[in-house]
Amino acid sequence: MSNFGIRLLRCRFNTCPIGTGRVDPIVRALIVAGVFLSGVNGDSAQAQTALQNAAQNPQQFSVATNIVDICPQLAGLGGFGLTGDVGDLFDRCNGAIVIAPGQPAAAADVLGQIAAEEILSQGSVVNGTIEPQTQAIAARMSALRGGGGLVGIANAQPNSEPVQLASTDPWQVISQDSTVSASHYTGLGAFMTGTYAFGNRDETSLEAGFDFDNYSITVGTDYFFSDNLVAGLAFGYTASDIDFDANAGGLDGSAYAISVYSIWNPIEPLGVSGFISYGLVDFETERNLNYTDSNGAVNRTISGDTDADQLEATGGIYYDFASGPWTFGPTGRVSYLHMDIDGFTETGGQGLDLVFTNQDAESFETAFGGAVSYSTSTSFGVALYQARAEWIHEFLDNSRTVSLRYENDPFPNSPVITLTTEEPDRDRFIVGGSASFVFQGGISAFADIETVLGLDNVTAAAVTAGLRMEF
């Protein structure tokens, strides 16, 4: 019953392309009883194995394993006689199984689209929406580095996720003999920083490729308790947008963050710095399905909505040297980050809606680098030009596994679908430069550009501009 059996799977409950167009009662009984899909018939087992063999990566194989388990059970509940989203789930799993033996490439396309690999970029969205704000804090702390007073900050770059790699971190350093000295920075100060970050990640064997854009604005205020101690508070908002390759959908994130920070100089060239940031993220996912299986064409947009939060703590140490208009020195820091993403259920996919469990991730990094800056007096104040580089090593962040299941799967013991991220790069380099202008009266402005090097499959950069005022 090889060809006959395969064709039977394509029949609806009351119609069939074989014979008179009606399903014979015996055949109907076989379908409803699930005999064909249960593996008793050799051709059905072959079709199920063919679907698993069509999988191109572990994500797709996990989906195939789930499908070949639930489809026979759905057939036992009524198969093509099922209605609603449960019936649609049977249609789709049946369509994937039937197409696999003769068209493995088409089956792989089906698996690739329903595997939801795009959701793995959620971690990037969370980190990417928080990161520009923590980097804006680093920028402000850098601006507080004036000769003779607070003179350093280790820049913060706490994660290896692609969306956050381009960040703000201008090291505006004022030399000891410049016309504007640290003694000017007394009392209360305020700042506003805006960042645009952009880049892309290439498709890999485990994760979908995408382009990204981040827009961020941060405002804050700080207070000098003495010439050697300053602390501040900042608030930020970031909007992130990810567009998946091949028109596969996208992710949008909106984040609000609050940060506290401080710099202390126990002796003039040496300083320690630190900040803690906490952020809340709301993001929406969208997956576009556009494929054809043995039961027809599928064109759907599946949506998801969930929340996440992220806590980050960074501490650094630095030592600055000054020689005429030049300031230079090494920096080092450690950074810890914890991220939680709430589970959620998709909508709009009918039988293909997925239920995602909670996710979490941790990161611990060290960073070593240095910066050199040159300052010169002008008719309007002081101009500062800076270049910097940093080597970052990740110790803790590892590949993540996300567990999910079909919302309309009525069987509690179905195999769990698992999606696995790529192993993060352990090392990367940040290089950048900036131009800053300090005006008489306590107003300053800067522009900065930065990029990341040494990451597989990722390119990223950022441009930043900011204003500061001292009162």
Side-chain angles (χ1 to χ4, degrees):
M1 140 174 176
S2 58
N3 293 332
F4 181 69
I6 294 295
R7 295 174 67 188
L8 280 181
L9 286 178
R10 304 180 63 179
C11 301
R12 293 295 176 177
F13 190 76
N14 290 319
T15 63
C16 183
I18 301 173
T20 63
R22 302 284 295 179
V23 178
D24 182 271
I26 297 177
V27 174
R28 180 185 301 174
L30 289 174
I31 295 175
V32 173
V35 171
F36 181 86
L37 287 175
S38 69
V40 173
N41 182 281
D43 288 330
S44 65
Q46 179 184 7
Q48 295 173 63
T49 301
L51 183 65
Q52 293 175 307
N53 291 340
Q56 301 295 302
N57 61 27
Q59 336 277 46
Q60 296 180 20
F61 185 84
S62 181
V63 173
T65 300
N66 175 272
I67 286 175
V68 299
D69 180 85
I70 66 175
C71 217
Q73 298 184 74
L74 289 173
L77 292 181
F80 288 117
L82 296 171
T83 60
D85 290 343
V86 175
D88 181 73
L89 178 59
F90 176 77
D91 287 352
R92 301 284 66 86
C93 71
N94 167 263
I97 292 175
V98 171
I99 203 173
Q103 301 180 61
D109 180 57
V110 172
L111 292 173
Q113 294 204 40
I114 66 177
E117 296 169 6
E118 296 84 4
I119 302 300
L120 294 176
S121 62
Q122 284 178 336
S124 299
V125 172
V126 176
N127 292 334
T129 50
I130 298 296
E131 178 64 10
Q133 297 166 36
T134 60
Q135 290 304 313
I137 305 305
R140 172 56 177 165
M141 295 168 75
S142 289
L144 297 171
R145 298 173 62 190
L150 296 170
V151 291
I153 179 65
N155 81 341
Q157 185 68 32
N159 264 277
S160 61
E161 298 290 345
V163 175
Q164 67 192 27
L165 296 172
S167 62
T168 69
D169 189 23
W171 295 42
Q172 289 75 28
V173 181
I174 303 176
S175 67
Q176 292 181 355
D177 63 350
S178 72
T179 58
V180 180
S181 68
S183 61
H184 172 77
Y185 298 120
T186 58
L188 189 67
F191 69 95
M192 180 174 65
T193 299
T195 299
Y196 170 58
F198 57 95
N200 68 275
R201 180 187 178 105
D202 295 334
E203 181 181 5
T204 69
S205 61
L206 296 179
E207 298 187 43
F210 57 82
D211 299 322
F212 70 86
D213 298 275
N214 282 351
Y215 303 87
S216 177
I217 185 169
T218 301
V219 296
T221 184
D222 43 51
Y223 186 80
F224 275 80
F225 294 92
S226 69
D227 287 344
N228 297 322
L229 177 64
V230 64
L233 177 69
F235 301 90
Y237 170 78
T238 299
S240 293
D241 177 63
I242 286 181
D243 292 316
F244 296 115
D245 295 349
N247 194 34
L251 277 78
D252 296 320
S254 298
Y256 299 88
I258 183 171
S259 305
V260 293
Y261 58 94
S262 182
I263 306 174
W264 175 52
N265 282 125
I267 58 176
E268 184 173 302
L270 177 67
V272 294
S273 62
F275 68 80
I276 298 175
S277 294
Y278 178 76
L280 295 174
V281 184
D282 175 79
F283 63 85
E284 299 175 351
T285 67
E286 187 175 275
R287 296 193 294 123
N288 296 329
L289 302 186
N290 185 8
Y291 69 86
T292 300
D293 60 26
S294 67
N295 288 327
V298 177
N299 294 283
R300 300 173 187 176
T301 296
I302 304 178
S303 302
D305 192 343
T306 189
D307 300 312
D309 65 275
Q310 178 171 303
L311 177 67
E312 174 194 342
T314 296
I317 188 170
Y318 54 86
Y319 195 98
D320 277 353
F321 301 91
S323 177
W326 295 92
T327 302
F328 52 90
T331 63
R333 68 164 176 85
V334 295
S335 180
Y336 172 80
L337 180 146
H338 182 85
M339 172 185 68
D340 288 300
I341 303 176
D342 295 339
F344 66 100
T345 300
E346 294 180 316
T347 60
Q350 301 178 49
L352 295 178
D353 288 331
L354 291 167
V355 178
F356 294 82
T357 59
N358 296 337
Q359 305 175 50
D360 63 80
E362 290 183 301
S363 169
F364 181 78
E365 292 182 337
T366 58
F368 299 96
V372 57
S373 65
Y374 177 82
S375 64
T376 181
S377 297
T378 69
S379 59
F380 56 79
V382 178
L384 305 102
Y385 307 97
Q386 175 266 341
R388 64 188 182 276
E390 187 178 45
W391 164 56
I392 302 171
H393 182 75
E394 171 65 54
F395 289 90
L396 191 58
D397 192 20
N398 295 304
S399 175
R400 293 183 295 114
T401 298
V402 182
S403 299
L404 52 146
R405 65 188 302 273
Y406 287 107
E407 181 188 16
N408 294 288
D409 175 3
F411 310 110
N413 297 321
S414 300
V416 175
I417 299 172
T418 57
L419 306 180
T420 304
T421 65
E422 296 281 359
E423 285 287 344
D425 293 293
R426 291 299 172 187
D427 297 281
R428 67 185 186 276
F429 300 88
I430 301 293
V431 295
S434 64
S436 303
F437 306 96
V438 182
F439 307 99
Q440 299 295 332
I443 299 175
S444 62
F446 76 90
D448 181 89
I449 187 168
E450 179 177 277
T451 190
V452 61
L453 303 174
L455 288 175
D456 293 334
N457 307 307
V458 175
T459 59
V463 291
T464 301
L467 293 172
R468 289 180 290 275
M469 177 175 289
E470 310 297 330
F471 301 100

